[in-house]
Amino acid sequence: PLICAVVEVIECAPGTECIKGVSENWRFPQFIKIDFKEKLMTGMFRNEKRPTTPIDKVEIQEGLLILHGTQDGRAWNMIISQETGHMTGTIAANDFSFTVFGACIAP
């Protein structure tokens, strides 16, 4: 398993400027637990457990761990450097997107 801390979030929508901030601005999980055995991600926000998200696909390419999934009409991807733990993720919906930056570590 991995635990990822979400450090920065950027929200974008058509016809508007993107908004940058921290996870609390959007009630975005501060921490994400990735369970490879169960193929699930679970977010944590101020000690409240958020719904789990299924991981549809896991790939390893050139030292990068790449995760893909879909849920509730949204698609998401996450890339984690196996060397540094740096994490970048995206969530795309029909009328908005989020890009998140953070870091992951094995507990």
Side-chain angles (χ1 to χ4, degrees):
L2 291 176
I3 300 293
C4 302
V6 177
V7 177
E8 185 173 39
V9 178
I10 301 169
E11 179 185 19
C12 296
T16 66
E17 293 202 22
C18 295
I19 303 167
K20 181 166 50 169
V22 294
S23 61
E24 293 88 4
N25 293 4
W26 292 273
R27 287 191 46 83
F28 204 89
Q30 294 167 307
F31 297 97
I32 299 169
K33 179 182 177 188
I34 301 173
D35 183 334
F36 292 100
K37 185 177 178 183
E38 298 293 325
K39 293 187 87 172
L40 291 173
M41 287 196 325
T42 304
M44 298 294 291
F45 181 82
R46 294 189 182 155
N47 296 324
E48 90 185 37
K49 188 174 176 181
R50 303 296 291 270
T52 59
T53 300
I55 300 169
D56 297 333
K57 186 175 181 181
V58 177
E59 300 177 63
I60 297 176
Q61 294 181 13
E62 300 176 17
L64 299 173
L65 180 61
I66 304 170
L67 312 175
H68 306 277
T70 59
Q71 185 177 33
D72 300 329
R74 299 176 182 144
W76 62 268
N77 295 287
M78 182 182 287
I79 298 176
I80 303 164
S81 168
Q82 291 181 303
E83 182 180 337
T84 65
H86 292 161
M87 176 267 293
T88 301
T90 60
I91 301 168
N94 186 44
D95 56 353
F96 67 90
S97 68
F98 286 101
T99 301
V100 300
F101 299 97
C104 301
I105 190 168

